Amino acid sequence: MTDTSSSTASPTGRHSKLGLPHGAELLHDPLLNKGTAFTQEERWALGLAGLLPPHVHSMDEQVARVMDNYHAKTTDLERYIHLVSLQDRNETLFYRVVMDHLEEMMPIIYTPTVGQACQNWGHLFRRPRGLYISIKDRGHIAEILHNWPHKGVGVIVVTDGERILGLGDQGAGGMGIPVGKLSLYTACAGIDPALSLPVMLDVGTENEQYLRDPLYMGLRQSRVRGKDYDDFVGEFIAAVEATWPGTLIQFEDFGNLNAFRLLEEYRNKVCTFNDDIQGTAAVVLSGLFSAQRLTGTAFADQRILFLGAGEAGIGIGDLIVSALVSEGLGVAEARKRCCFVDSKGLVVKGRTDLAVHKLSYAHDLAACPDFISAVRELKPTAIIGVSTMPKAFTREVVEAMASYNARPIVFALSNPTSKAECTAEEAYTWSRGRAIYASGSPFPPCLYEGKTYVPGQGNNSYIFPGVGLGVVACRARHVTDRMFSEAAKTLASMVLPGDLEVGRVYPSLTRIKEVSAAIAVAVAEVAFKDGLAGIERPSDLAALVKSAMWEPRYTEYLE
Ligand code: NAD
Protein backbone atom coordinates (compact mmCIF):
# COMPACT_ATOMS: atom_id res chain seq x y z
CA MET A 1 0.00 0.00 0.00
CA THR A 2 1.30 3.48 -0.87
CA ASP A 3 1.86 5.88 2.00
CA THR A 4 -0.26 8.92 1.16
CA SER A 5 0.71 10.95 4.21
CA SER A 6 3.33 12.97 2.33
CA SER A 7 2.13 12.58 -1.24
CA THR A 8 -1.04 13.66 -2.97
CA ALA A 9 -3.47 11.52 -4.91
CA SER A 10 -4.50 12.71 -8.39
CA PRO A 11 -7.96 11.89 -9.82
CA THR A 12 -6.20 8.90 -11.45
CA GLY A 13 -4.85 7.68 -8.14
CA ARG A 14 -1.16 8.35 -8.93
CA HIS A 15 1.00 10.07 -6.35
CA SER A 16 3.47 12.92 -6.46
CA LYS A 17 7.06 12.34 -5.47
CA LEU A 18 7.80 12.87 -1.81
CA GLY A 19 9.03 16.23 -0.59
CA LEU A 20 7.93 18.23 -3.63
CA PRO A 21 6.57 21.73 -3.01
CA HIS A 22 2.92 22.25 -3.86
CA GLY A 23 0.79 24.62 -5.89
CA ALA A 24 2.06 28.13 -6.55
CA GLU A 25 5.25 27.37 -4.62
CA LEU A 26 6.14 24.73 -7.22
CA LEU A 27 5.42 27.13 -10.10
CA HIS A 28 7.75 29.65 -8.50
CA ASP A 29 10.66 27.24 -8.07
CA PRO A 30 12.66 27.63 -11.30
CA LEU A 31 14.49 24.33 -10.83
CA LEU A 32 11.24 22.33 -10.58
CA ASN A 33 8.78 24.39 -12.60
CA LYS A 34 7.59 22.99 -15.94
CA GLY A 35 5.02 25.74 -16.64
CA THR A 36 2.42 24.72 -19.17
CA ALA A 37 4.13 21.34 -19.57
CA PHE A 38 2.73 19.99 -16.28
CA THR A 39 0.42 17.13 -17.28
CA GLN A 40 -3.24 17.12 -16.24
CA GLU A 41 -2.48 14.36 -13.73
CA GLU A 42 0.39 16.35 -12.25
CA ARG A 43 -1.77 19.45 -12.03
CA TRP A 44 -4.33 17.59 -9.90
CA ALA A 45 -1.76 15.81 -7.80
CA LEU A 46 0.41 18.86 -7.16
CA GLY A 47 -2.21 21.48 -6.39
CA LEU A 48 -1.77 23.21 -9.75
CA ALA A 49 -5.28 22.68 -11.14
CA GLY A 50 -6.65 26.03 -12.28
CA LEU A 51 -3.29 27.79 -11.82
CA LEU A 52 -2.33 27.12 -15.44
CA PRO A 53 -4.22 27.55 -18.72
CA PRO A 54 -5.89 24.24 -19.70
CA HIS A 55 -3.80 23.12 -22.67
CA VAL A 56 -0.73 21.03 -21.85
CA HIS A 57 2.22 22.02 -24.05
CA SER A 58 5.18 19.89 -25.00
CA MET A 59 8.65 21.21 -24.29
CA ASP A 60 9.17 21.71 -28.05
CA GLU A 61 6.09 23.93 -28.18
CA GLN A 62 7.35 25.89 -25.19
CA VAL A 63 10.72 26.35 -26.95
CA ALA A 64 8.88 27.64 -30.04
CA ARG A 65 7.04 30.21 -27.89
CA VAL A 66 10.27 31.39 -26.25
CA MET A 67 11.95 31.72 -29.66
CA ASP A 68 9.02 33.68 -31.12
CA ASN A 69 9.34 36.18 -28.28
CA TYR A 70 13.13 36.16 -28.51
CA HIS A 71 13.03 37.07 -32.20
CA ALA A 72 10.47 39.81 -31.58
CA LYS A 73 12.97 41.67 -29.35
CA THR A 74 14.79 44.47 -31.09
CA THR A 75 18.00 44.74 -29.05
CA ASP A 76 20.46 42.25 -27.58
CA LEU A 77 19.88 43.67 -24.12
CA GLU A 78 16.14 42.93 -24.45
CA ARG A 79 17.03 39.40 -25.56
CA TYR A 80 19.25 39.07 -22.47
CA ILE A 81 16.38 40.22 -20.20
CA HIS A 82 14.00 37.82 -21.93
CA LEU A 83 16.35 34.87 -21.39
CA VAL A 84 17.27 35.70 -17.80
CA SER A 85 13.58 36.11 -16.94
CA LEU A 86 12.97 32.66 -18.39
CA GLN A 87 15.86 31.33 -16.29
CA ASP A 88 14.18 32.81 -13.22
CA ARG A 89 10.90 31.03 -14.05
CA ASN A 90 11.93 27.71 -15.56
CA GLU A 91 15.60 26.70 -15.66
CA THR A 92 15.02 23.45 -17.53
CA LEU A 93 13.35 25.27 -20.41
CA PHE A 94 15.97 28.05 -20.30
CA TYR A 95 18.78 25.50 -20.74
CA ARG A 96 16.88 23.59 -23.44
CA VAL A 97 16.57 26.86 -25.39
CA VAL A 98 20.17 27.96 -24.79
CA MET A 99 21.68 24.54 -25.52
CA ASP A 100 19.68 24.21 -28.74
CA HIS A 101 20.79 27.69 -29.92
CA LEU A 102 24.17 28.00 -28.24
CA GLU A 103 26.07 29.87 -30.95
CA GLU A 104 23.28 32.42 -31.26
CA MET A 105 22.74 32.84 -27.53
CA MET A 106 26.21 32.69 -26.05
CA PRO A 107 26.90 36.33 -27.05
CA ILE A 108 23.61 37.25 -25.32
CA ILE A 109 23.99 35.41 -22.03
CA TYR A 110 27.73 36.17 -21.95
CA THR A 111 30.12 38.62 -23.61
CA PRO A 112 29.40 41.05 -25.17
CA THR A 113 25.77 41.55 -24.03
CA VAL A 114 26.40 40.58 -20.41
CA GLY A 115 28.72 43.60 -20.24
CA GLN A 116 25.81 45.91 -21.05
CA ALA A 117 23.72 44.08 -18.47
CA CYS A 118 26.37 44.69 -15.79
CA GLN A 119 26.51 48.37 -16.73
CA ASN A 120 22.73 48.66 -16.34
CA TRP A 121 22.28 46.18 -13.45
CA GLY A 122 20.43 48.49 -11.06
CA HIS A 123 18.12 49.65 -13.85
CA LEU A 124 17.30 46.19 -15.20
CA PHE A 125 17.00 44.41 -11.86
CA ARG A 126 13.97 42.15 -11.59
CA ARG A 127 14.80 39.26 -9.28
CA PRO A 128 17.88 38.46 -7.24
CA ARG A 129 19.96 35.38 -8.19
CA GLY A 130 22.85 34.08 -6.11
CA LEU A 131 24.28 35.62 -2.95
CA TYR A 132 25.29 39.24 -2.42
CA ILE A 133 27.71 39.42 0.51
CA SER A 134 28.88 42.87 1.55
CA ILE A 135 31.89 43.75 3.64
CA LYS A 136 29.42 45.02 6.24
CA ASP A 137 28.38 41.36 6.71
CA ARG A 138 31.76 40.43 8.16
CA GLY A 139 31.43 37.97 10.99
CA HIS A 140 28.16 36.59 9.53
CA ILE A 141 29.18 35.05 6.23
CA ALA A 142 28.54 31.45 7.31
CA GLU A 143 25.04 32.51 8.38
CA ILE A 144 24.44 34.05 4.94
CA LEU A 145 25.59 30.87 3.20
CA HIS A 146 23.02 28.95 5.22
CA ASN A 147 20.30 31.14 3.69
CA TRP A 148 21.06 29.61 0.30
CA PRO A 149 18.05 27.36 -0.35
CA HIS A 150 19.88 24.47 -2.04
CA LYS A 151 21.74 21.91 0.05
CA GLY A 152 24.56 20.81 -2.22
CA VAL A 153 26.74 23.41 -3.90
CA GLY A 154 29.33 22.11 -6.34
CA VAL A 155 30.56 25.21 -8.16
CA ILE A 156 30.78 28.82 -6.97
CA VAL A 157 31.73 31.66 -9.29
CA VAL A 158 32.67 34.73 -7.26
CA THR A 159 33.56 38.29 -8.23
CA ASP A 160 34.16 41.55 -6.41
CA GLY A 161 33.20 43.45 -9.57
CA GLU A 162 36.44 45.41 -9.83
CA ARG A 163 37.46 44.49 -13.39
CA ILE A 164 34.45 43.33 -15.36
CA LEU A 165 35.42 42.15 -18.87
CA GLY A 166 37.31 45.16 -20.25
CA LEU A 167 34.78 47.56 -18.71
CA GLY A 168 36.48 48.29 -15.40
CA ASP A 169 34.79 48.63 -12.01
CA GLN A 170 31.10 47.71 -12.17
CA GLY A 171 30.62 47.29 -8.41
CA ALA A 172 27.59 45.17 -7.53
CA GLY A 173 26.59 45.12 -11.20
CA GLY A 174 29.48 42.72 -11.68
CA MET A 175 27.07 40.00 -10.47
CA GLY A 176 26.09 39.55 -14.12
CA ILE A 177 29.40 37.76 -14.65
CA PRO A 178 29.05 34.92 -12.07
CA VAL A 179 25.44 34.45 -13.18
CA GLY A 180 26.50 34.25 -16.85
CA LYS A 181 29.52 32.03 -16.24
CA LEU A 182 27.46 29.54 -14.28
CA SER A 183 24.90 29.42 -17.09
CA LEU A 184 27.78 28.49 -19.37
CA TYR A 185 28.90 25.75 -16.98
CA THR A 186 25.53 24.13 -17.51
CA ALA A 187 25.01 24.97 -21.17
CA CYS A 188 28.51 23.87 -22.24
CA ALA A 189 29.30 21.04 -19.84
CA GLY A 190 26.03 19.94 -18.28
CA ILE A 191 26.84 21.00 -14.71
CA ASP A 192 23.59 20.55 -12.77
CA PRO A 193 22.18 24.08 -12.23
CA ALA A 194 21.11 23.04 -8.72
CA LEU A 195 24.83 22.82 -7.84
CA SER A 196 25.65 26.39 -9.00
CA LEU A 197 26.06 29.41 -6.78
CA PRO A 198 26.90 32.91 -8.10
CA VAL A 199 28.42 35.21 -5.47
CA MET A 200 29.08 38.95 -5.44
CA LEU A 201 31.50 40.14 -2.74
CA ASP A 202 30.66 43.83 -2.39
CA VAL A 203 33.48 45.92 -0.95
CA GLY A 204 32.36 49.20 -2.57
CA THR A 205 33.17 50.75 -5.94
CA GLU A 206 35.31 53.51 -7.39
CA ASN A 207 32.81 54.04 -10.19
CA GLU A 208 31.56 57.60 -9.62
CA GLN A 209 28.67 57.15 -12.03
CA TYR A 210 27.22 54.33 -9.90
CA LEU A 211 27.91 56.10 -6.62
CA ARG A 212 25.74 58.96 -7.91
CA ASP A 213 23.03 56.72 -9.37
CA PRO A 214 19.98 56.39 -7.07
CA LEU A 215 19.21 52.99 -8.62
CA TYR A 216 22.69 51.55 -7.99
CA MET A 217 22.34 48.34 -5.95
CA GLY A 218 25.65 48.02 -4.13
CA LEU A 219 27.42 49.64 -1.20
CA ARG A 220 27.84 53.38 -1.73
CA GLN A 221 31.44 53.73 -0.65
CA SER A 222 34.98 53.50 -1.97
CA ARG A 223 36.46 50.03 -2.26
CA VAL A 224 37.86 48.61 0.95
CA ARG A 225 41.45 47.42 0.44
CA GLY A 226 44.33 45.98 2.45
CA LYS A 227 43.93 43.77 5.50
CA ASP A 228 40.16 44.34 5.86
CA TYR A 229 39.66 43.20 2.27
CA ASP A 230 41.86 40.13 2.74
CA ASP A 231 40.12 39.18 5.99
CA PHE A 232 36.74 39.49 4.29
CA VAL A 233 37.75 37.21 1.39
CA GLY A 234 39.41 34.86 3.90
CA GLU A 235 36.19 34.63 5.94
CA PHE A 236 34.24 33.89 2.77
CA ILE A 237 36.58 31.07 1.70
CA ALA A 238 36.58 29.55 5.20
CA ALA A 239 32.78 29.74 5.40
CA VAL A 240 32.43 28.00 2.02
CA GLU A 241 34.83 25.26 3.12
CA ALA A 242 32.91 24.77 6.36
CA THR A 243 29.49 24.76 4.67
CA TRP A 244 30.22 22.84 1.45
CA PRO A 245 33.69 21.27 1.84
CA GLY A 246 35.59 20.77 -1.41
CA THR A 247 33.34 23.04 -3.49
CA LEU A 248 35.03 24.44 -6.59
CA ILE A 249 35.49 28.22 -6.21
CA GLN A 250 36.17 30.11 -9.44
CA PHE A 251 37.49 33.66 -9.02
CA GLU A 252 36.25 35.93 -11.77
CA ASP A 253 36.95 39.50 -12.82
CA PHE A 254 38.86 40.69 -9.75
CA GLY A 255 41.27 43.61 -10.24
CA ASN A 256 44.63 42.25 -11.27
CA LEU A 257 46.61 42.88 -8.09
CA ASN A 258 44.04 41.04 -5.98
CA ALA A 259 43.56 38.32 -8.60
CA PHE A 260 47.21 37.22 -8.62
CA ARG A 261 47.55 37.44 -4.83
CA LEU A 262 44.35 35.55 -4.09
CA LEU A 263 45.25 32.80 -6.55
CA GLU A 264 48.64 32.32 -4.88
CA GLU A 265 47.06 32.43 -1.44
CA TYR A 266 44.35 29.82 -2.04
CA ARG A 267 45.35 27.59 -4.97
CA ASN A 268 47.00 24.97 -2.75
CA LYS A 269 44.60 25.36 0.16
CA VAL A 270 41.18 24.87 -1.43
CA CYS A 271 39.72 23.77 -4.76
CA THR A 272 40.02 26.99 -6.74
CA PHE A 273 41.21 28.65 -9.92
CA ASN A 274 41.06 32.03 -11.61
CA ASP A 275 39.49 31.85 -15.02
CA ASP A 276 40.86 35.21 -16.20
CA ILE A 277 44.38 33.98 -15.53
CA GLN A 278 44.32 30.20 -15.98
CA GLY A 279 41.24 29.58 -18.15
CA THR A 280 42.27 32.28 -20.62
CA ALA A 281 45.78 30.90 -20.71
CA ALA A 282 44.55 27.45 -21.67
CA VAL A 283 42.25 28.66 -24.42
CA VAL A 284 44.97 30.83 -25.95
CA LEU A 285 47.61 28.11 -25.66
CA SER A 286 45.23 25.80 -27.45
CA GLY A 287 44.74 28.42 -30.21
CA LEU A 288 48.52 28.66 -30.61
CA PHE A 289 48.82 24.85 -30.84
CA SER A 290 46.22 24.86 -33.63
CA ALA A 291 47.78 27.87 -35.39
CA GLN A 292 50.99 25.86 -35.56
CA ARG A 293 49.19 23.42 -37.88
CA LEU A 294 48.61 26.35 -40.26
CA THR A 295 51.98 28.08 -39.97
CA GLY A 296 53.96 24.84 -40.14
CA THR A 297 56.44 26.25 -37.59
CA ALA A 298 57.25 24.45 -34.35
CA PHE A 299 55.65 25.71 -31.15
CA ALA A 300 59.13 26.08 -29.65
CA ASP A 301 59.99 28.60 -32.42
CA GLN A 302 57.17 31.03 -31.63
CA ARG A 303 58.06 34.53 -30.47
CA ILE A 304 55.04 36.09 -28.85
CA LEU A 305 54.44 39.75 -28.18
CA PHE A 306 51.59 40.69 -25.87
CA LEU A 307 49.83 44.01 -25.70
CA GLY A 308 48.65 44.14 -22.07
CA ALA A 309 50.44 42.60 -19.10
CA GLY A 310 47.52 41.97 -16.76
CA GLU A 311 45.77 38.81 -15.60
CA ALA A 312 45.11 37.44 -19.07
CA GLY A 313 48.54 38.34 -20.52
CA ILE A 314 50.68 37.07 -17.66
CA GLY A 315 48.47 33.99 -17.21
CA ILE A 316 48.90 33.11 -20.89
CA GLY A 317 52.65 33.81 -20.71
CA ASP A 318 53.05 31.51 -17.70
CA LEU A 319 51.19 28.62 -19.34
CA ILE A 320 53.14 29.06 -22.61
CA VAL A 321 56.35 28.93 -20.56
CA SER A 322 55.30 25.71 -18.86
CA ALA A 323 54.32 24.22 -22.26
CA LEU A 324 57.74 25.22 -23.70
CA VAL A 325 59.52 23.78 -20.67
CA SER A 326 57.71 20.49 -21.20
CA GLU A 327 59.08 20.58 -24.79
CA GLY A 328 62.60 20.74 -23.37
CA LEU A 329 63.41 24.47 -23.12
CA GLY A 330 64.89 25.91 -19.91
CA VAL A 331 62.60 28.30 -17.95
CA ALA A 332 64.74 31.39 -18.69
CA GLU A 333 64.85 30.58 -22.41
CA ALA A 334 61.11 29.86 -22.46
CA ARG A 335 60.32 33.20 -20.79
CA LYS A 336 62.33 35.03 -23.43
CA ARG A 337 59.81 33.80 -26.04
CA CYS A 338 57.16 35.99 -24.37
CA CYS A 339 57.51 39.79 -24.37
CA PHE A 340 54.99 42.27 -23.08
CA VAL A 341 54.02 45.85 -23.86
CA ASP A 342 51.96 47.61 -21.20
CA SER A 343 50.66 51.17 -21.04
CA LYS A 344 54.22 52.45 -20.49
CA GLY A 345 55.86 50.55 -23.36
CA LEU A 346 57.90 47.36 -23.61
CA VAL A 347 58.37 45.58 -20.29
CA VAL A 348 62.18 45.58 -19.91
CA LYS A 349 64.73 45.13 -17.18
CA GLY A 350 65.59 48.81 -16.92
CA ARG A 351 62.06 49.82 -15.84
CA THR A 352 61.46 50.73 -12.21
CA ASP A 353 57.66 50.98 -12.40
CA LEU A 354 56.82 47.28 -12.90
CA ALA A 355 54.21 45.46 -10.80
CA VAL A 356 55.53 42.24 -9.30
CA HIS A 357 53.59 39.94 -11.66
CA LYS A 358 55.46 41.43 -14.66
CA LEU A 359 58.98 40.98 -13.30
CA SER A 360 59.66 37.51 -14.74
CA TYR A 361 59.11 38.96 -18.21
CA ALA A 362 61.32 42.06 -17.78
CA HIS A 363 63.99 41.02 -20.29
CA ASP A 364 67.32 42.62 -21.03
CA LEU A 365 66.08 44.53 -24.08
CA ALA A 366 66.16 48.10 -25.30
CA ALA A 367 63.17 50.19 -24.24
CA CYS A 368 60.38 50.62 -26.82
CA PRO A 369 57.86 53.33 -26.09
CA ASP A 370 54.92 51.79 -27.92
CA PHE A 371 53.57 48.65 -29.54
CA ILE A 372 54.57 49.31 -33.15
CA SER A 373 58.17 50.01 -32.21
CA ALA A 374 58.23 46.76 -30.19
CA VAL A 375 56.79 44.85 -33.17
CA ARG A 376 59.52 46.29 -35.43
CA GLU A 377 62.24 45.56 -32.91
CA LEU A 378 61.23 42.00 -31.98
CA LYS A 379 59.58 40.77 -35.22
CA PRO A 380 57.26 38.37 -33.36
CA THR A 381 55.46 35.42 -34.94
CA ALA A 382 52.34 36.13 -32.88
CA ILE A 383 50.74 39.19 -31.31
CA ILE A 384 48.19 38.78 -28.54
CA GLY A 385 45.98 41.69 -27.50
CA VAL A 386 44.77 41.63 -23.91
CA SER A 387 44.99 45.35 -23.24
CA THR A 388 41.38 46.59 -23.33
CA MET A 389 42.68 49.15 -25.90
CA PRO A 390 40.36 49.16 -28.93
CA LYS A 391 42.04 49.50 -32.32
CA ALA A 392 45.54 49.16 -30.86
CA PHE A 393 46.42 46.66 -33.63
CA THR A 394 46.59 49.28 -36.35
CA ARG A 395 47.03 48.72 -40.05
CA GLU A 396 50.73 49.48 -39.57
CA VAL A 397 51.02 46.77 -36.90
CA VAL A 398 49.22 44.09 -38.95
CA GLU A 399 51.12 44.99 -42.13
CA ALA A 400 54.42 44.78 -40.25
CA MET A 401 53.44 41.34 -38.88
CA ALA A 402 52.51 40.20 -42.40
CA SER A 403 55.89 41.40 -43.71
CA TYR A 404 57.79 39.16 -41.25
CA ASN A 405 55.51 36.11 -41.32
CA ALA A 406 53.83 34.11 -44.08
CA ARG A 407 50.97 33.44 -41.62
CA PRO A 408 51.08 36.04 -38.83
CA ILE A 409 49.15 35.08 -35.70
CA VAL A 410 46.91 37.94 -34.58
CA PHE A 411 44.77 37.29 -31.50
CA ALA A 412 42.76 40.39 -30.55
CA LEU A 413 41.21 39.16 -27.33
CA SER A 414 39.98 42.23 -25.48
CA ASN A 415 36.30 42.13 -24.58
CA PRO A 416 33.64 43.19 -25.21
CA THR A 417 33.60 43.63 -29.01
CA SER A 418 34.04 47.39 -28.70
CA LYS A 419 37.43 46.81 -27.03
CA ALA A 420 38.92 44.39 -29.57
CA GLU A 421 42.44 45.42 -30.65
CA CYS A 422 41.31 44.94 -34.26
CA THR A 423 38.34 43.39 -36.02
CA ALA A 424 38.49 40.16 -37.98
CA GLU A 425 37.90 42.06 -41.20
CA GLU A 426 40.79 44.44 -40.49
CA ALA A 427 43.16 41.56 -39.73
CA TYR A 428 42.25 39.66 -42.92
CA THR A 429 42.25 42.75 -45.15
CA TRP A 430 45.48 44.28 -43.85
CA SER A 431 47.33 40.94 -44.02
CA ARG A 432 45.83 40.10 -47.44
CA GLY A 433 44.07 37.05 -46.07
CA ARG A 434 47.15 35.62 -44.34
CA ALA A 435 46.45 36.42 -40.68
CA ILE A 436 45.48 33.61 -38.33
CA TYR A 437 42.97 35.57 -36.34
CA ALA A 438 41.07 34.93 -33.13
CA SER A 439 39.07 37.33 -30.98
CA GLY A 440 37.65 37.43 -27.46
CA SER A 441 34.08 38.33 -28.46
CA PRO A 442 32.57 36.81 -31.60
CA PHE A 443 32.98 38.32 -35.07
CA PRO A 444 30.94 37.20 -38.09
CA PRO A 445 32.59 35.38 -41.01
CA CYS A 446 34.40 37.67 -43.48
CA LEU A 447 34.64 37.52 -47.24
CA TYR A 448 38.03 38.59 -48.57
CA GLU A 449 38.90 38.27 -52.26
CA GLY A 450 36.33 35.54 -52.83
CA LYS A 451 37.27 33.41 -49.79
CA THR A 452 35.21 33.16 -46.62
CA TYR A 453 37.14 33.27 -43.35
CA VAL A 454 35.54 32.17 -40.10
CA PRO A 455 37.31 33.88 -37.20
CA GLY A 456 37.81 31.70 -34.14
CA GLN A 457 36.60 32.99 -30.80
CA GLY A 458 39.21 32.43 -28.07
CA ASN A 459 36.29 31.92 -25.77
CA ASN A 460 37.08 30.74 -22.23
CA SER A 461 33.90 28.66 -22.47
CA TYR A 462 35.88 26.11 -24.43
CA ILE A 463 37.91 25.42 -21.29
CA PHE A 464 36.46 26.31 -17.89
CA PRO A 465 33.19 24.31 -18.11
CA GLY A 466 35.09 21.14 -19.03
CA VAL A 467 37.70 21.76 -16.33
CA GLY A 468 34.92 22.33 -13.77
CA LEU A 469 33.09 19.20 -14.89
CA GLY A 470 36.26 17.11 -14.54
CA VAL A 471 36.95 18.56 -11.08
CA VAL A 472 33.37 17.96 -9.88
CA ALA A 473 33.20 14.44 -11.37
CA CYS A 474 36.31 13.19 -9.56
CA ARG A 475 36.03 15.58 -6.59
CA ALA A 476 39.50 16.95 -7.20
CA ARG A 477 41.00 18.70 -4.17
CA HIS A 478 42.89 21.34 -6.18
CA VAL A 479 42.93 22.71 -9.73
CA THR A 480 46.44 22.63 -11.15
CA ASP A 481 48.28 24.17 -14.11
CA ARG A 482 48.82 20.66 -15.44
CA MET A 483 45.04 20.29 -15.68
CA PHE A 484 44.91 23.47 -17.78
CA SER A 485 47.76 22.37 -20.09
CA GLU A 486 46.02 19.03 -20.65
CA ALA A 487 42.76 20.89 -21.28
CA ALA A 488 44.54 23.06 -23.90
CA LYS A 489 45.99 20.01 -25.67
CA THR A 490 42.65 18.25 -25.65
CA LEU A 491 40.87 21.29 -27.10
CA ALA A 492 43.48 21.66 -29.85
CA SER A 493 43.18 17.97 -30.70
CA MET A 494 39.49 18.49 -31.44
CA VAL A 495 40.04 21.13 -34.15
CA LEU A 496 39.17 19.50 -37.49
CA PRO A 497 40.92 20.07 -40.83
CA GLY A 498 37.69 21.75 -42.02
CA ASP A 499 37.95 24.27 -39.15
CA LEU A 500 41.53 25.12 -40.11
CA GLU A 501 40.63 25.45 -43.80
CA VAL A 502 38.37 28.41 -43.02
CA GLY A 503 40.95 29.85 -40.60
CA ARG A 504 39.26 28.79 -37.38
CA VAL A 505 41.69 27.62 -34.67
CA TYR A 506 38.92 26.36 -32.38
CA PRO A 507 36.27 23.70 -32.95
CA SER A 508 32.75 24.83 -33.77
CA LEU A 509 30.80 25.83 -30.68
CA THR A 510 28.13 23.37 -31.78
CA ARG A 511 30.50 20.63 -30.49
CA ILE A 512 30.98 22.26 -27.10
CA LYS A 513 29.45 19.46 -24.99
CA GLU A 514 31.64 16.85 -26.68
CA VAL A 515 34.65 19.16 -26.16
CA SER A 516 33.82 19.77 -22.49
CA ALA A 517 33.36 16.06 -21.84
CA ALA A 518 36.76 15.29 -23.43
CA ILE A 519 38.43 18.04 -21.37
CA ALA A 520 36.73 16.75 -18.22
CA VAL A 521 38.15 13.27 -18.86
CA ALA A 522 41.65 14.75 -19.38
CA VAL A 523 41.37 16.81 -16.18
CA ALA A 524 40.12 13.86 -14.15
CA GLU A 525 42.98 11.78 -15.56
CA VAL A 526 45.47 14.35 -14.19
CA ALA A 527 43.67 14.40 -10.84
CA PHE A 528 43.89 10.62 -10.51
CA LYS A 529 47.53 10.47 -11.66
CA ASP A 530 48.59 13.28 -9.33
CA GLY A 531 46.73 11.90 -6.31
CA LEU A 532 44.28 14.81 -6.17
CA ALA A 533 41.01 12.97 -6.75
CA GLY A 534 38.56 12.54 -3.89
CA ILE A 535 37.15 9.23 -5.16
CA GLU A 536 38.55 5.84 -6.25
CA ARG A 537 39.48 5.75 -9.92
CA PRO A 538 36.69 4.03 -11.86
CA SER A 539 37.65 1.85 -14.82
CA ASP A 540 35.80 4.10 -17.27
CA LEU A 541 36.51 7.84 -16.83
CA ALA A 542 34.33 8.83 -19.79
CA ALA A 543 31.37 7.09 -18.15
CA LEU A 544 32.12 8.85 -14.85
CA VAL A 545 32.08 12.22 -16.61
CA LYS A 546 28.95 11.39 -18.58
CA SER A 547 27.11 10.42 -15.40
CA ALA A 548 27.90 13.88 -13.96
CA MET A 549 26.31 15.70 -16.93
CA TRP A 550 22.81 17.08 -16.39
CA GLU A 551 20.35 17.25 -19.29
CA PRO A 552 17.54 19.78 -19.64
CA ARG A 553 14.67 17.28 -19.53
CA TYR A 554 11.54 17.59 -17.45
CA THR A 555 11.14 15.23 -14.50
CA GLU A 556 8.03 13.06 -14.29
CA TYR A 557 6.58 14.04 -10.94
CA LEU A 558 4.11 11.18 -10.53
CA GLU A 559 4.97 7.66 -9.57
P1 NAD B 1 43.87 43.49 -16.65
O1 NAD B 1 43.23 44.72 -16.17
O2 NAD B 1 44.41 42.54 -15.66
O3 NAD B 1 45.06 43.87 -17.65
C1 NAD B 1 44.98 44.82 -18.67
C2 NAD B 1 46.40 45.17 -19.06
O4 NAD B 1 46.38 46.05 -20.18
C3 NAD B 1 47.17 45.87 -17.96
O5 NAD B 1 48.46 45.32 -17.89
C4 NAD B 1 47.27 47.30 -18.46
O6 NAD B 1 48.45 47.93 -18.02
C5 NAD B 1 47.32 47.07 -19.96
N1 NAD B 1 46.99 48.28 -20.69
C6 NAD B 1 46.07 49.22 -20.42
N2 NAD B 1 46.16 50.21 -21.32
C7 NAD B 1 47.15 49.89 -22.17
C8 NAD B 1 47.74 50.52 -23.29
N3 NAD B 1 47.31 51.69 -23.71
N4 NAD B 1 48.73 49.90 -23.92
C9 NAD B 1 49.18 48.71 -23.49
N5 NAD B 1 48.67 48.07 -22.43
C10 NAD B 1 47.66 48.65 -21.78
O7 NAD B 1 42.83 42.76 -17.58
P2 NAD B 1 42.90 41.27 -18.14
O8 NAD B 1 42.18 40.33 -17.26
O9 NAD B 1 44.29 40.94 -18.47
O10 NAD B 1 42.00 41.41 -19.44
C11 NAD B 1 42.40 42.25 -20.50
C12 NAD B 1 41.41 42.10 -21.64
O11 NAD B 1 41.45 40.77 -22.15
C13 NAD B 1 39.97 42.37 -21.26
O12 NAD B 1 39.33 43.10 -22.26
C14 NAD B 1 39.37 41.01 -21.17
O13 NAD B 1 37.99 41.00 -21.46
C15 NAD B 1 40.14 40.28 -22.23
N6 NAD B 1 40.14 38.84 -22.00
C16 NAD B 1 39.80 38.02 -23.02
C17 NAD B 1 39.76 36.67 -22.83
C18 NAD B 1 39.40 35.76 -23.96
O14 NAD B 1 39.23 36.20 -25.04
N7 NAD B 1 39.30 34.49 -23.76
C19 NAD B 1 40.04 36.15 -21.59
C20 NAD B 1 40.41 37.01 -20.54
C21 NAD B 1 40.47 38.36 -20.76
Side-chain angles (χ1 to χ4, degrees), residues 163 165-167 254-256 260 275-276 280 283-284 307-313 341-344 357-358 385-389 413-416 419 421 439-441 458-460:
R163 198 243 58 194
L165 305 170
L167 300 170
F254 282 68
N256 69 31
F260 285 108
D275 188 53
D276 307 302
T280 304
V283 83
V284 176
L307 181 68
E311 286 165 60
V341 171
D342 66 11
S343 54
K344 310 265 166 37
H357 58 268
K358 301 181 191 175
V386 274
S387 64
T388 71
M389 288 310 293
L413 299 181
S414 285
N415 291 317
K419 303 279 182 182
E421 283 80 4
S439 56
S441 300
N459 191 324
N460 289 31

Side-chain angles (χ1 to χ4, degrees), residues 391-401 426 429-430 432:
K391 304 288 169 203
F393 292 172
T394 57
R395 180 178 198 127
E396 216 181 350
V397 164
V398 177
E399 284 181 350
M401 286 296 291
E426 287 166 344
T429 309
W430 294 339
R432 297 176 183 271

